[in-house]
Amino acid sequence: MTTDTLLDGRVRLLQPFDGYRAAIDPVLLAAFTDARPGERVLDVGTGTGAAALCLAARVPDALVTGLEKRADAAGYARRNAALNGADSRVTILDGDLLSPPPNLTPASFDRVMMNPPYLRAGAASLPPDPWKAAANVEGEAALKDWLRFAAAMLKPRGALTLVHRADRVDEILAALHGARFGSLILVPLWPKPGEDARRILLSTRKGGKAPARFTSGLTLHTPNGSYTDEAQRILRDAAALAP
Protein backbone atom coordinates (compact mmCIF):
# COMPACT_ATOMS: atom_id res chain seq x y z
CA MET A 1 0.00 0.00 0.00
CA THR A 2 0.97 3.65 -0.19
CA THR A 3 0.25 6.61 2.10
CA ASP A 4 -1.02 9.57 0.09
CA THR A 5 -2.34 12.97 1.10
CA LEU A 6 -5.34 15.08 0.19
CA LEU A 7 -6.16 18.71 1.01
CA ASP A 8 -2.47 19.61 1.19
CA GLY A 9 -1.80 17.06 3.93
CA ARG A 10 -4.91 17.60 6.03
CA VAL A 11 -6.02 14.07 5.10
CA ARG A 12 -3.73 11.05 4.92
CA LEU A 13 -4.97 8.13 2.88
CA LEU A 14 -3.74 4.55 2.80
CA GLN A 15 -4.42 3.06 -0.63
CA PRO A 16 -3.48 -0.15 -2.44
CA PHE A 17 -0.40 0.25 -4.59
CA ASP A 18 -2.21 -1.37 -7.53
CA GLY A 19 -5.90 -1.11 -8.32
CA TYR A 20 -8.36 1.68 -7.59
CA ARG A 21 -6.92 4.92 -6.22
CA ALA A 22 -8.82 8.07 -5.29
CA ALA A 23 -8.43 11.09 -7.58
CA ILE A 24 -9.95 14.56 -7.24
CA ASP A 25 -13.63 13.59 -7.61
CA PRO A 26 -14.18 12.62 -3.95
CA VAL A 27 -12.42 15.82 -2.84
CA LEU A 28 -14.73 17.92 -5.01
CA LEU A 29 -17.76 15.96 -3.77
CA ALA A 30 -16.86 16.62 -0.14
CA ALA A 31 -16.29 20.31 -0.86
CA PHE A 32 -19.72 20.53 -2.50
CA THR A 33 -21.52 18.82 0.40
CA ASP A 34 -22.67 21.75 2.53
CA ALA A 35 -22.74 19.90 5.85
CA ARG A 36 -23.25 21.86 9.05
CA PRO A 37 -21.89 21.07 12.54
CA GLY A 38 -23.84 18.25 14.14
CA GLU A 39 -25.41 16.99 10.91
CA ARG A 40 -25.37 13.31 9.98
CA VAL A 41 -23.93 12.56 6.54
CA LEU A 42 -23.97 9.23 4.69
CA ASP A 43 -21.24 8.55 2.12
CA VAL A 44 -22.51 5.75 -0.14
CA GLY A 45 -19.78 3.63 -1.70
CA THR A 46 -17.13 5.24 0.47
CA GLY A 47 -14.21 3.19 -0.88
CA THR A 48 -11.10 4.00 1.13
CA GLY A 49 -12.94 6.91 2.78
CA ALA A 50 -11.52 9.80 0.76
CA ALA A 51 -14.72 11.88 0.52
CA ALA A 52 -15.80 11.05 4.08
CA LEU A 53 -12.46 12.13 5.54
CA CYS A 54 -12.22 15.28 3.42
CA LEU A 55 -15.66 16.31 4.67
CA ALA A 56 -14.71 15.49 8.26
CA ALA A 57 -11.56 17.61 7.90
CA ARG A 58 -13.53 20.60 6.62
CA VAL A 59 -16.49 20.24 9.03
CA PRO A 60 -15.02 18.79 12.24
CA ASP A 61 -18.38 18.55 14.04
CA ALA A 62 -20.18 16.60 11.30
CA LEU A 63 -20.88 12.91 11.90
CA VAL A 64 -20.09 10.86 8.79
CA THR A 65 -21.08 7.26 8.05
CA GLY A 66 -19.48 5.48 5.12
CA LEU A 67 -21.19 2.48 3.50
CA GLU A 68 -18.97 0.15 1.49
CA LYS A 69 -19.78 -3.15 -0.23
CA ARG A 70 -16.18 -4.38 -0.62
CA ALA A 71 -14.76 -5.65 2.65
CA ASP A 72 -11.18 -4.84 1.62
CA ALA A 73 -12.09 -1.24 0.80
CA ALA A 74 -14.04 -0.87 4.05
CA GLY A 75 -10.98 -2.11 5.92
CA TYR A 76 -8.86 0.59 4.31
CA ALA A 77 -11.50 3.20 5.18
CA ARG A 78 -11.48 2.19 8.87
CA ARG A 79 -7.69 2.35 8.98
CA ASN A 80 -7.78 5.75 7.30
CA ALA A 81 -10.31 7.10 9.81
CA ALA A 82 -8.01 6.00 12.64
CA LEU A 83 -4.92 7.34 10.85
CA ASN A 84 -6.56 10.77 10.70
CA GLY A 85 -7.83 10.69 14.28
CA ALA A 86 -11.39 10.77 12.97
CA ASP A 87 -12.66 7.33 13.99
CA SER A 88 -14.93 8.85 16.65
CA ARG A 89 -16.71 10.89 13.95
CA VAL A 90 -16.35 8.71 10.85
CA THR A 91 -18.01 5.28 11.06
CA ILE A 92 -17.55 2.71 8.30
CA LEU A 93 -20.24 0.08 7.70
CA ASP A 94 -19.92 -3.02 5.53
CA GLY A 95 -22.95 -3.40 3.33
CA ASP A 96 -24.68 -3.23 -0.02
CA LEU A 97 -27.18 -0.49 -0.83
CA LEU A 98 -29.50 -3.16 -2.27
CA SER A 99 -29.55 -4.93 1.12
CA PRO A 100 -28.29 -2.36 3.64
CA PRO A 101 -27.16 -3.35 7.13
CA PRO A 102 -29.91 -3.28 9.78
CA ASN A 103 -28.17 -0.57 11.82
CA LEU A 104 -28.55 1.86 8.90
CA THR A 105 -31.85 3.55 9.73
CA PRO A 106 -33.96 5.00 6.91
CA ALA A 107 -34.83 8.73 6.99
CA SER A 108 -32.08 9.40 9.55
CA PHE A 109 -29.50 11.41 7.58
CA ASP A 110 -29.39 15.14 6.93
CA ARG A 111 -27.23 14.62 3.84
CA VAL A 112 -26.19 11.83 1.51
CA MET A 113 -23.18 12.11 -0.80
CA MET A 114 -22.09 9.63 -3.45
CA ASN A 115 -19.65 9.02 -6.28
CA PRO A 116 -21.39 6.14 -8.12
CA PRO A 117 -19.74 4.09 -10.88
CA TYR A 118 -19.73 6.23 -14.01
CA LEU A 119 -20.41 3.52 -16.62
CA ARG A 120 -23.54 1.45 -17.19
CA ALA A 121 -23.24 -2.32 -16.84
CA GLY A 122 -22.47 -3.78 -20.26
CA ALA A 123 -21.48 -0.43 -21.73
CA ALA A 124 -17.75 -0.91 -21.22
CA SER A 125 -15.18 -3.65 -20.79
CA LEU A 126 -14.53 -4.45 -17.15
CA PRO A 127 -11.04 -3.57 -15.91
CA PRO A 128 -9.12 -6.71 -14.88
CA ASP A 129 -8.75 -5.41 -11.32
CA PRO A 130 -12.03 -6.22 -9.46
CA TRP A 131 -11.79 -3.11 -7.28
CA LYS A 132 -11.41 -0.84 -10.32
CA ALA A 133 -14.23 -2.70 -12.02
CA ALA A 134 -16.58 -2.13 -9.06
CA ALA A 135 -15.62 1.56 -8.86
CA ASN A 136 -15.97 2.29 -12.59
CA VAL A 137 -18.80 0.08 -13.88
CA GLU A 138 -22.24 -0.46 -12.35
CA GLY A 139 -22.91 -3.90 -10.94
CA GLU A 140 -26.25 -5.20 -9.69
CA ALA A 141 -27.11 -1.72 -8.43
CA ALA A 142 -27.90 0.63 -11.33
CA LEU A 143 -27.77 4.42 -11.03
CA LYS A 144 -31.51 4.58 -10.27
CA ASP A 145 -30.95 2.20 -7.34
CA TRP A 146 -28.29 4.50 -5.88
CA LEU A 147 -30.66 7.46 -6.09
CA ARG A 148 -33.61 5.57 -4.61
CA PHE A 149 -31.41 4.45 -1.73
CA ALA A 150 -30.40 8.07 -1.09
CA ALA A 151 -34.06 9.06 -0.97
CA ALA A 152 -34.79 6.29 1.53
CA MET A 153 -31.91 7.30 3.82
CA LEU A 154 -32.57 11.05 3.84
CA LYS A 155 -34.76 12.93 6.26
CA PRO A 156 -37.54 15.02 4.69
CA ARG A 157 -35.89 18.00 2.96
CA GLY A 158 -32.51 16.30 3.31
CA ALA A 159 -29.90 17.01 0.63
CA LEU A 160 -28.20 14.68 -1.84
CA THR A 161 -24.90 15.58 -3.53
CA LEU A 162 -23.21 13.50 -6.19
CA VAL A 163 -20.49 13.66 -8.80
CA HIS A 164 -21.03 11.93 -12.14
CA ARG A 165 -20.48 12.04 -15.88
CA ALA A 166 -22.03 14.96 -17.73
CA ASP A 167 -23.35 12.68 -20.49
CA ARG A 168 -25.64 10.90 -18.02
CA VAL A 169 -27.42 14.02 -16.77
CA ASP A 170 -30.67 13.16 -18.56
CA GLU A 171 -30.75 9.74 -16.89
CA ILE A 172 -29.93 11.26 -13.49
CA LEU A 173 -32.71 13.85 -13.78
CA ALA A 174 -35.30 11.24 -14.74
CA ALA A 175 -34.36 9.07 -11.76
CA LEU A 176 -34.39 12.03 -9.39
CA HIS A 177 -37.86 13.01 -10.55
CA GLY A 178 -39.09 9.47 -9.92
CA ALA A 179 -37.61 9.56 -6.40
CA ARG A 180 -39.35 12.91 -5.69
CA PHE A 181 -36.23 15.06 -5.50
CA GLY A 182 -36.31 18.76 -6.38
CA SER A 183 -34.47 22.08 -5.88
CA LEU A 184 -31.75 20.93 -8.27
CA ILE A 185 -28.40 22.71 -8.48
CA LEU A 186 -26.01 21.54 -11.20
CA VAL A 187 -22.34 22.56 -11.39
CA PRO A 188 -20.44 21.75 -14.60
CA LEU A 189 -16.77 20.87 -14.12
CA TRP A 190 -14.87 22.40 -17.05
CA PRO A 191 -11.49 20.67 -17.70
CA LYS A 192 -10.02 23.86 -19.25
CA PRO A 193 -11.44 27.12 -20.62
CA GLY A 194 -13.39 26.44 -23.81
CA GLU A 195 -13.64 22.67 -23.25
CA ASP A 196 -16.90 20.80 -22.71
CA ALA A 197 -17.66 19.56 -19.19
CA ARG A 198 -17.11 15.83 -18.80
CA ARG A 199 -18.25 15.63 -15.18
CA ILE A 200 -20.83 17.45 -13.09
CA LEU A 201 -21.60 18.02 -9.43
CA LEU A 202 -25.25 17.92 -8.53
CA SER A 203 -27.19 18.88 -5.43
CA THR A 204 -30.89 18.21 -4.83
CA ARG A 205 -33.34 18.00 -1.92
CA LYS A 206 -35.81 15.30 -0.98
CA GLY A 207 -39.17 16.94 -1.54
CA GLY A 208 -37.53 20.16 -2.73
CA LYS A 209 -39.74 22.65 -4.60
CA ALA A 210 -37.33 25.40 -5.73
CA PRO A 211 -36.65 25.85 -9.47
CA ALA A 212 -33.65 24.07 -10.95
CA ARG A 213 -30.47 26.13 -11.23
CA PHE A 214 -27.37 25.64 -13.39
CA THR A 215 -24.32 27.51 -12.07
CA SER A 216 -21.39 28.92 -14.02
CA GLY A 217 -19.41 25.88 -12.93
CA LEU A 218 -15.81 25.31 -11.91
CA THR A 219 -12.87 25.41 -14.33
CA LEU A 220 -10.27 22.93 -13.09
CA HIS A 221 -7.18 23.75 -15.16
CA THR A 222 -5.59 26.74 -16.83
CA PRO A 223 -4.61 26.44 -20.52
CA ASN A 224 -1.11 25.29 -19.47
CA GLY A 225 -2.55 22.44 -17.38
CA SER A 226 -2.02 23.77 -13.84
CA TYR A 227 -4.94 24.03 -11.45
CA THR A 228 -6.87 27.28 -11.49
CA ASP A 229 -6.78 29.41 -8.34
CA GLU A 230 -10.37 28.44 -7.51
CA ALA A 231 -9.63 24.74 -7.93
CA GLN A 232 -6.52 25.06 -5.73
CA ARG A 233 -8.55 26.67 -2.95
CA ILE A 234 -10.82 23.64 -2.98
CA LEU A 235 -8.30 20.85 -3.58
CA ARG A 236 -5.47 22.17 -1.40
CA ASP A 237 -6.90 24.73 1.01
CA ALA A 238 -10.06 22.76 1.92
CA ALA A 239 -12.38 25.55 0.79
CA ALA A 240 -16.05 24.75 0.26
CA LEU A 241 -17.39 24.68 -3.27
CA ALA A 242 -20.32 27.04 -3.00
CA PRO A 243 -23.38 26.02 -5.05
Side-chain angles (χ1 to χ4, degrees):
M1 72 179 72
T2 62
T3 303
D4 302 296
T5 61
L6 302 171
L7 300 180
D8 200 27
R10 292 172 178 84
V11 172
R12 291 184 292 166
L13 201 69
L14 299 173
Q15 301 189 93
F17 183 79
D18 296 314
Y20 176 78
R21 297 173 64 80
I24 67 171
D25 287 358
V27 185
L28 295 170
L29 175 63
F32 189 55
T33 302
D34 188 25
R36 308 299 171 85
E39 287 189 336
R40 297 189 67 212
V41 182
L42 176 63
D43 180 23
V44 186
T46 195
T48 56
L53 291 168
C54 285
L55 180 65
R58 186 172 60 80
V59 189
D61 294 324
L63 302 174
V64 186
T65 299
L67 179 67
E68 177 52 49
K69 181 178 180 180
R70 290 185 59 90
D72 51 359
Y76 270 97
R78 289 191 188 92
R79 293 179 67 180
N80 285 326
L83 179 66
N84 288 275
D87 44 350
S88 64
R89 298 181 294 111
V90 177
T91 302
I92 306 299
L93 301 179
D94 291 85
D96 184 348
L97 63 91
L98 294 177
S99 53
N103 53 342
L104 199 58
T105 306
S108 63
F109 289 92
D110 301 286
R111 300 179 188 273
V112 171
M113 61 181 183
M114 56 175 62
N115 180 9
Y118 286 166
L119 302 173
R120 298 182 190 90
S125 300
L126 288 175
D129 179 82
W131 194 336
K132 277 188 177 181
N136 295 337
V137 184
E138 292 171 359
E140 293 181 4
L143 178 57
K144 64 182 180 181
D145 297 311
W146 285 71
L147 299 177
R148 287 172 182 166
F149 178 70
M153 290 295 110
L154 281 168
K155 297 176 180 178
R157 304 287 299 172
L160 165 66
T161 48
L162 64 89
V163 58
H164 216 290
R165 285 171 58 115
D167 60 7
R168 295 189 71 181
V169 166
D170 53 348
E171 183 180 350
I172 294 170
L173 297 183
L176 289 174
H177 180 74
R180 300 187 182 278
F181 280 101
S183 304
L184 172 76
I185 301 174
L186 193 145
V187 181
L189 298 173
W190 314 110
K192 290 182 179 180
E195 293 187 0
D196 291 346
R198 301 190 189 106
R199 299 192 307 283
I200 54 97
L201 288 163
L202 184 148
S203 171
T204 186
R205 285 196 177 274
K206 182 178 178 179
K209 302 294 184 182
R213 180 163 64 91
F214 284 65
T215 76
S216 58
L218 172 67
T219 302
L220 295 170
H221 298 98
T222 66
N224 67 12
S226 62
Y227 284 120
T228 62
D229 290 343
E230 186 178 5
Q232 288 194 57
R233 284 193 292 271
I234 294 164
L235 298 173
R236 298 177 185 172
D237 300 336
L241 200 169

